[in-house]
């Protein structure tokens, strides 16, 4: 009897376990599971120490080497955080959360090629904004702790580091560190303490009410906006700061506490231009679109002049080339002692308004009591000015909707513009790069000229060509409008100029890499034809050695040329091993020109740096990977826009890539997956909804219902009400009933990107599930649009690999 009772107990226990197992299987899609790990080889690649970055002084005497962390723990992401006014804020240390801190800082003496010891460095380094003083013998930086932000200064003459601030710094509205002279640095400090922050009341004073009285206020779909009076209180409490200057450890207040968004010093160091935010705060735009005041203070903080009272950006008309009907782009004129320049629209901010000129650039000089004078007008939308030495300035105009870019030379005496060159924004081959700068008499970076001021040194860090990206340094003649290349990367590597230390002698610093050689930095003299290695960083990805990389070229059916970076597993032999399961990873881009869309982008000799979002990890698991697969969306005629043919061209691009890889014998047509992040996820869901080309898809943090971004998205500036059918046609949510290919959706639960609200993935999952599709949704705790938490990222790589194995390999 006892045995029978015992048997019943055992059978009952087994039955209970089986029942639990079945329940677990039935609710697998809903239940949270423990974090999982990808294969060790992938985990090791992910967690390998990133290659450091460097900063070298102008005399190439000292080099600052900065090490970045790999990935923080999820616990760090889950610390106290307010999501207000489009910002993510830490109330305990008055700084933004989720920063990419520098975790290690060392100084290298370049002449001896040795690391020098610095005494007094913080015991735990979490640094931001390292900034050299004018003589480049000191480096100031912020160091962040759990409860405060401190200011440290490294003195290279004494090889010491010390904390100089008496009051904790405030980084809520920016992390600028500005040197006034070799001994004085300016920054913002707290006026409140974390302990004084009032808690949100359980019972509010009343409902939150917003109202509009007939004024149009279109807006993109920002996240984390102010939503209540308590949010307003918290934002003001955390963001209010006091500007101070610190000389040899003594802090002096400048002006009164304010919501200072930005501050900059005049070239002669006698004035401070500030932008301070004003109430009422907007519930529709982020902090950087709040109403504000542009003011000039003297160097002691006394108000000299209020230059402008700027309205909230709420009223800006929709459309990417429309601007507020208000002054914008305030800055100091770098070649004069104390002159402020800014742009003023002549078209009420409406680019389609028929006017001979759309913008005027104005100037007002110290003591700022005269009427601003006009410097010049621009035919299209003014973008920016690069200042030179007194007689030279280059003016840029941009029309985003027409993808046009124009650079003109400004004649100071005639106050007129002469066009130097125009190009399409998407025409990479005609991009000349950016002017090289040097320090002028005010210590400002201005355009460096050669040939008695008639030519400009240009640095093109991309150097796009029909042979791929080959960066170059050139001399652009302002009279003949011709460009002479004086140095260019060799075709067997990828090398670009990081800095020009001396424009006259062509002393430069370059960054060089190949498929097998990790990026390293070199000090070169082009005149003397010398090159000295500044760094000798080693390959952090030893297990990737033997993986092959090739930039492949192919055509889609309508003749547009395409490229992609093909990775094949180490030791792979297609005759012996046969075609492989393949993952295609892409991100669509819009073009008004098929010729621009056909240009070659990238360089096959670039070293593959693996970040959390890379698809290349899976080449170690026997997959062929086509990364950076071109997905151009091209306007089919002058009266059409690219998105008018969006879905059809996605299919053309994907079909061409598959056909090419199959014809090469490296891929199995029946074992393709497609994936992408953000707009690439949007692409993935659309391809799966409108084709049967793939066996699986991976879509990370996408926006799938375009009616949730009704005032435009990506490069589409037509509103939903102007093109309702386009919005529906482009929304994979509207076609969720047709998504039968297995799709893996992932999303950070705290996505902060414009438009990609987590509800996009939530509702697409529900829609696909409601129509019987195969879908899995992974919601990552605390993650924003880009994923950072160590456990989350490792689990993501596990999920993606598991999905590929299940639907491409049948495991």
């Amino acid at each position: 009897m006892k045995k029978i009772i015992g048997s019943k107990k055992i059978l009952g226990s087994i039955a209970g376990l089986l029942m639990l197992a079945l329940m677990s299987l039935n609710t697998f899609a809903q239940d949270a599971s423990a974090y999982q790990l990808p294969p060790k080889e992938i985990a090791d690649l992910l967690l390998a120490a990133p290659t450091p970055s460097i900063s070298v002084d102008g005399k190439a005497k000292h080099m600052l080497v900065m090490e970045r962390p790999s990935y923080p723990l999820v616990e760090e992401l889950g610390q106290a955080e307010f999501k207000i006014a489009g910002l993510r804020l830490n109330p305990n240390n008055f700084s933004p959360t989720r920063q990419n801190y520098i975790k290690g800082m060392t100084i290298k003496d370049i002449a001896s090629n040795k690391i020098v010891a610095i005494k007094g460095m913080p015991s735990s380094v979490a640094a931001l904004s390292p900034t050299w003083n004018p003589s480049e013998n000191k480096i100031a930086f912020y160091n962040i702790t759990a409860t405060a932000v401190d200011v440290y200064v490294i003195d290279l003459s004494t090889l010491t580091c010390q904390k100089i601030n008496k009051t904790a710094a405030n980084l809520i509205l920016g992390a600028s560190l500005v040197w006034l002279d070799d001994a004085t640095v300016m920054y913002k400090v707290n006026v409140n303490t974390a302990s004084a922050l009032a808690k949100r009341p359980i019972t509010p004073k009343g409902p939150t009410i917003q109202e509009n009285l007939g004024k149009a206020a279109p807006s993109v779909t920002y996240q984390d906006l102010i939503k209540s009076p308590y949010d307003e209180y918290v934002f003001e409490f955390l963001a209010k700061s006091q500007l101070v200057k610190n000389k040899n450890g003594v802090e002096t207040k400048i002006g009164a506490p304010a919501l200072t968004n930005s501050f900059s010093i005049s070239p002669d160091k006698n004035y401070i231009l500030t932008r301070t935010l004003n109430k009422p705060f907007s519930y529709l735009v982020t902090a950087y679109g709040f109403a504000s005041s542009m003011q000039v203070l003297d160097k002691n903080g006394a108000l000299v002049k209020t230059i402008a009272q700027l309205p909230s950006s709420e009223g800006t008309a929709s459309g990417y080339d429309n601007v507020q009907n208000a002054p914008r782009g305030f800055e100091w004129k770098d070649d004069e002692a104390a002159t402020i320049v800014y742009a003023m629209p002549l078209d009420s901010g409406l680019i389609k308004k028929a006017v001979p000129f759309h913008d005027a650039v104005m100037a007002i000089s110290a003591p700022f009591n005269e009427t601003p004078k006009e410097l010049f007008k621009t035919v299209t939308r003014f973008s920016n000015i690069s200042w030179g030495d007194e007689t030279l300035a280059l003016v840029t105009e941009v029309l985003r909707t027409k993808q046009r870019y124009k650079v003109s030379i400004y004649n100071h005496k005639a106050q007129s513009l002469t066009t130097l060159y125009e190009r399409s924004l998407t025409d990479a081959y005609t991009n000349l790069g950016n002017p090289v700068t040097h320090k002028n008499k005010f210590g400002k970076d201005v355009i460096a000229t050669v040939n008695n001021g008639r030519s400009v040194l240009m640095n093109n860090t991309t150097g796009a060509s029909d042979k791929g990206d080959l960066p170059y340094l050139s001399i652009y003649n302002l009279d003949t409008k011709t460009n002479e290349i004086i140095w260019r990367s060799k075709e067997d590597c990828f090398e670009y100029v990081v800095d020009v230390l001396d424009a006259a002698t062509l002393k430069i610093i370059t960054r060089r890499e190949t498929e097998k050689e990790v990026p390293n930095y070199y000090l070169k003299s082009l005149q003397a034809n010398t090159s000295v290695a500044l760094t000798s960083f080693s390959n952090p990805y030893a297990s990737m050695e033997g993986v092959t990389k090739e930039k492949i070229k192919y055509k889609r059916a309508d003749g547009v040329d395409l490229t992609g970076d093909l990775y094949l597993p180490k030791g792979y032999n297609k005759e012996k091993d046969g075609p492989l399961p393949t993952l295609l990873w892409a991100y669509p881009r819009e073009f008004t020109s098929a010729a621009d869309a056909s240009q070659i982008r990238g360089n096959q000799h670039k070293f593959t740096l693996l970040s959390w979002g890379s698809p290349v990890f899976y080449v170690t698991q026997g997959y062929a990977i086509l990364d950076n697969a071109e997905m151009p969306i091209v306007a089919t005629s002058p009266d059409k826009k690219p998105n008018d043919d969006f879905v059809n061209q996605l299919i053309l691009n994907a079909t061409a890539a598959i056909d090419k890889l199959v014809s090469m014998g490296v891929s199995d047509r029946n074992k393709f997956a497609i994936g992408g992040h953000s707009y690439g996820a949007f692409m993935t869901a659309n391809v799966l909804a409108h084709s049967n080309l793939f066996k699986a898809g991976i879509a990370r943090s996408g926006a799938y219902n375009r009616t949730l971004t009704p005032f435009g998205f990506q490069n589409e500036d037509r509103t939903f009400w102007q093109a309702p059918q386009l919005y529906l046609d482009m929304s994979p949510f509207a076609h969720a009933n047709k998504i039968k290919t297995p799709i893996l959706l992932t999303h950070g639960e705290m996505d902060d990107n414009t438009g990609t609200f987590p509800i996009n993935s939530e509702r697409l999952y529900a829609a696909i599930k409601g129509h019987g599709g195969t879908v899995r949704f992974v919601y990552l705790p605390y993650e924003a649009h880009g994923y950072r938490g160590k456990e989350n990222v490792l689990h993501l790589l596990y999920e993606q690999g598991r999905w590929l194995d299940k639907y491409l390999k049948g495991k």
Side-chain angles (χ1 to χ4, degrees):
M1 189 67 170
K2 288 181 180 180
K3 287 183 179 180
I4 294 174
I5 292 173
S7 298
K8 286 182 178 179
K9 286 182 178 179
I10 293 171
L11 290 171
S13 298
I14 293 173
L17 289 171
L18 288 171
M19 183 62 69
L20 285 172
L22 289 171
M23 290 173 62
S24 177
L25 286 172
N26 288 334
T27 61
F28 182 72
Q30 287 76 35
D31 291 347
S33 62
Y35 282 117
Q36 302 294 320
L37 294 174
K40 184 178 184 303
E41 190 171 19
I42 289 180
D44 289 345
L45 288 171
L46 174 76
L47 302 178
T51 302
S53 57
I54 69 166
S55 177
V56 178
D57 68 67
K59 296 179 181 179
K61 184 178 180 182
H62 291 106
M63 179 172 66
L64 174 65
V65 182
M66 296 163 283
E67 298 177 4
R68 303 283 179 178
S70 51
Y71 297 92
L73 297 174
V74 169
E75 181 182 7
E76 294 180 46
L77 299 184
Q79 297 304 304
E81 181 180 64
F82 280 103
K83 296 184 280 293
I84 297 176
L87 308 173
R88 301 285 173 91
L89 310 175
N90 186 332
N92 296 323
N93 62 15
F94 291 79
S95 76
T97 58
R98 305 168 187 269
Q99 297 274 42
N100 187 21
Y101 303 122
I102 299 166
K103 299 299 289 184
M105 300 174 68
T106 55
I107 301 294
K108 186 176 184 179
D109 180 86
I110 293 176
S112 65
N113 197 33
K114 292 182 179 179
I115 298 294
V116 295
I118 303 294
K119 296 180 180 179
M121 290 289 288
S123 57
S124 178
V125 175
L128 290 174
S129 305
T131 308
W132 298 81
N133 70 343
S135 294
E136 298 185 312
N137 57 14
K138 293 181 181 179
I139 302 171
F141 64 92
Y142 290 116
N143 197 65
I144 287 74
T145 69
T147 57
V149 178
D150 293 312
V151 181
Y152 282 79
V153 171
I154 298 172
D155 189 327
L156 296 173
S157 62
T158 61
L159 301 181
T160 59
C161 178
Q162 63 176 342
K163 183 172 83 72
I164 65 168
N165 63 302
K166 301 295 185 290
T167 310
N170 186 303
L171 307 188
I172 294 296
L173 291 176
S176 294
L177 268 173
V178 178
W179 286 95
L180 294 176
D181 54 47
D182 282 340
T184 310
V185 65
M186 185 182 295
Y187 49 91
K188 295 180 289 185
V189 299
N190 294 334
V191 296
N192 294 313
T193 59
S195 60
L197 179 64
K199 293 183 179 179
R200 184 186 296 272
I202 296 176
T203 303
K205 293 180 180 180
T208 298
I209 298 173
Q210 299 182 59
E211 183 178 38
N212 189 63
L213 301 176
K215 183 178 179 181
S219 177
V220 297
T221 47
Y222 296 112
Q223 303 206 49
D224 303 334
L225 299 178
I226 286 178
K227 298 180 178 68
S228 69
Y230 180 73
D231 285 352
E232 296 186 54
Y233 156 74
V234 171
F235 173 73
E236 184 174 14
F237 182 93
L238 295 177
K240 182 171 285 188
S241 63
Q242 172 68 58
L243 194 60
V244 300
K245 58 182 177 182
N246 187 314
K247 183 171 185 177
N248 298 324
V250 178
E251 286 179 343
T252 303
K253 294 180 180 179
I254 300 175
L259 295 173
T260 303
N261 178 50
S262 64
F263 64 94
S264 60
I265 312 302
S266 62
D268 65 3
K269 307 294 173 60
N270 288 325
Y271 300 96
I272 306 165
L273 176 64
T274 66
R275 178 177 180 243
T276 56
L277 306 184
N278 300 328
K279 289 184 174 180
F281 300 143
S282 172
Y283 282 48
L284 192 63
V285 297
T286 69
Y288 302 112
F290 287 0
S292 60
S293 301
M294 296 301 306
Q295 297 180 323
V296 177
L297 313 179
D298 67 20
K299 57 186 176 183
N300 296 314
L303 178 63
V304 176
K305 176 85 171 183
T306 297
I307 301 295
Q309 296 284 5
L310 304 177
S312 163
S313 64
E314 284 187 8
T316 306
S318 62
Y320 292 128
D321 294 314
N322 292 326
V323 296
Q324 276 187 287
N325 189 24
R328 69 183 192 280
F330 292 84
E331 66 175 16
W332 292 107
K333 194 171 184 287
D334 290 330
D335 59 350
E336 293 185 8
T339 298
I340 295 170
V341 293
Y342 60 91
M344 190 72 195
L346 301 175
D347 54 8
S348 302
L350 305 174
I351 197 65
K352 291 184 178 180
K353 189 172 183 179
V355 292
F357 298 96
H358 284 275
D359 282 321
V361 172
M362 313 297 292
I364 182 170
S365 301
F368 309 105
N369 52 18
E370 296 183 356
T371 302
K373 65 178 182 179
E374 181 184 296
L375 296 183
F376 57 84
K377 296 186 182 81
T378 58
V379 174
T380 58
R381 185 64 75 211
F382 168 78
S383 176
N384 63 77
I385 306 176
S386 297
W387 298 103
D389 282 321
E390 298 178 353
T391 60
L392 173 67
L394 297 181
V395 176
T396 301
E397 300 171 56
V398 173
L399 280 179
R400 183 175 170 185
T401 50
K402 294 187 177 180
Q403 298 185 344
R404 298 302 302 170
Y405 179 93
K406 180 167 77 171
V407 175
S408 303
I409 187 170
Y410 169 59
N411 184 315
H412 288 66
K413 292 182 179 179
Q415 294 188 336
S416 62
L417 297 180
T418 301
T419 301
L420 287 178
Y421 60 90
E422 293 186 68
R423 69 179 187 89
S424 165
L425 281 170
T426 57
D427 182 359
Y429 292 176
T430 59
N431 181 10
L432 298 181
N434 296 306
V436 171
T437 63
H438 70 153
K439 301 288 184 184
N440 68 359
K441 62 183 180 182
F442 297 115
K444 293 290 188 177
D445 290 318
V446 297
I447 298 171
T449 59
V450 293
N451 299 335
N452 297 317
R454 299 316 306 155
S455 297
V456 176
L457 203 59
M458 302 290 285
N459 183 18
N460 192 328
T461 57
T462 304
S465 73
D466 56 7
K467 296 180 180 179
D469 290 352
L470 295 172
Y472 62 79
L473 199 64
S474 67
I475 295 176
Y476 183 84
N477 189 299
L478 300 173
D479 295 324
T480 63
K481 300 179 184 179
T482 55
N483 196 45
E484 176 191 358
I485 296 176
I486 59 174
W487 173 89
R488 189 161 205 164
S489 172
K490 295 179 180 178
E491 293 184 18
D492 61 352
C493 68
F494 180 77
E495 185 174 16
Y496 65 91
V497 176
V498 175
D499 194 9
V500 177
L501 301 179
D502 191 326
T505 63
L506 296 178
K507 189 177 182 180
I508 64 175
I509 295 175
T510 69
R511 182 181 188 265
R512 182 184 185 277
E513 61 193 281
T514 70
E515 304 101 307
K516 297 180 179 179
E517 298 174 3
V518 70
N520 272 293
Y521 297 86
Y522 297 84
L523 177 63
K524 297 187 174 188
S525 172
L526 299 187
Q527 286 187 348
N529 195 28
T530 59
S531 179
V532 177
L534 293 175
T535 61
S536 55
F537 302 134
S538 58
N539 184 354
Y541 311 127
S543 65
M544 285 283 289
E545 293 181 4
V547 169
T548 62
K549 175 186 176 183
E550 176 187 2
K551 180 166 284 294
I552 62 171
K553 304 173 185 178
Y554 50 101
K555 284 183 182 291
R556 71 184 197 187
D558 61 357
V560 173
D561 292 317
L562 304 175
T563 63
D565 296 325
L566 175 63
Y567 294 84
L568 297 174
K570 68 174 71 174
Y572 171 70
N573 182 303
K574 65 182 178 182
E575 284 75 22
K576 176 183 174 184
D577 302 320
L580 299 171
T582 302
L583 172 60
L584 185 155
W585 201 265
Y587 190 94
R589 293 181 60 200
E590 299 90 344
F591 296 86
T592 56
S593 161
D596 289 358
S598 293
Q599 291 180 349
I600 298 172
R601 292 169 176 82
N603 183 312
Q604 75 172 52
H605 299 299
K606 292 184 72 172
F607 184 83
T608 300
L609 294 170
L610 297 174
S611 66
W612 67 270
S614 174
V616 179
F617 289 105
Y618 301 103
V619 75
T620 66
Q621 307 302 303
Y623 289 92
I625 309 295
L626 186 64
D627 194 15
N628 301 316
E630 292 289 349
M631 282 278 170
I633 309 298
V634 185
T636 55
S637 64
D639 61 333
K640 295 286 187 179
K641 291 197 172 186
N643 284 337
D644 292 339
D645 194 36
F646 181 79
V647 171
N648 176 57
Q649 292 193 43
L650 285 184
I651 306 306
L652 285 176
N653 293 324
T655 301
I658 292 172
D659 289 346
K660 173 64 175 179
L661 295 175
V662 171
S663 70
M664 291 174 64
V666 299
S667 298
D668 184 335
R669 185 179 296 276
N670 297 312
K671 294 183 178 181
F672 267 90
I674 187 171
H677 186 85
S678 193
Y679 209 57
F682 172 70
M683 166 205 75
T684 297
N686 263 309
V687 169
L688 299 190
H690 298 284
S691 76
N692 295 313
L693 296 171
F694 297 92
K695 298 302 179 184
I698 298 172
R700 297 193 315 233
S701 298
Y704 307 113
N705 185 344
R706 296 278 50 134
T707 67
L708 298 178
T709 54
F711 287 103
F713 56 91
Q714 205 71 2
N715 286 311
E716 178 57 66
D717 67 346
R718 288 171 291 185
T719 71
F720 168 74
W721 297 274
Q722 293 170 325
Q725 193 59 49
L726 174 80
Y727 274 67
L728 291 174
D729 290 343
M730 289 183 66
S731 295
F733 176 80
H735 307 278
N737 59 314
K738 296 185 286 185
I739 300 178
K740 300 304 179 183
T741 302
I743 184 170
L744 172 65
L745 301 174
T746 75
H747 219 116
E749 69 168 352
M750 295 184 179
D751 194 323
D752 57 347
N753 184 56
T754 302
T756 53
F757 289 83
I759 194 173
N760 279 278
S761 292
E762 294 171 5
R763 301 318 302 162
L764 182 61
Y765 168 79
I768 296 173
K769 179 180 178 180
H771 287 94
T774 300
V775 58
R776 181 173 172 87
F777 178 30
V778 179
Y779 216 12
L780 297 170
Y782 303 117
E783 293 294 352
H785 192 61
Y787 309 157
R788 299 185 66 221
K790 179 179 178 180
E791 300 95 323
N792 283 333
V793 174
L794 286 168
H795 187 87
L796 171 76
L797 293 175
Y798 156 79
E799 290 281 358
Q800 292 178 159
R802 173 182 176 272
W803 199 252
L804 295 174
D805 285 350
K806 183 174 183 179
Y807 293 105
L808 267 63
K809 291 183 178 179
K811 290 186 178 180

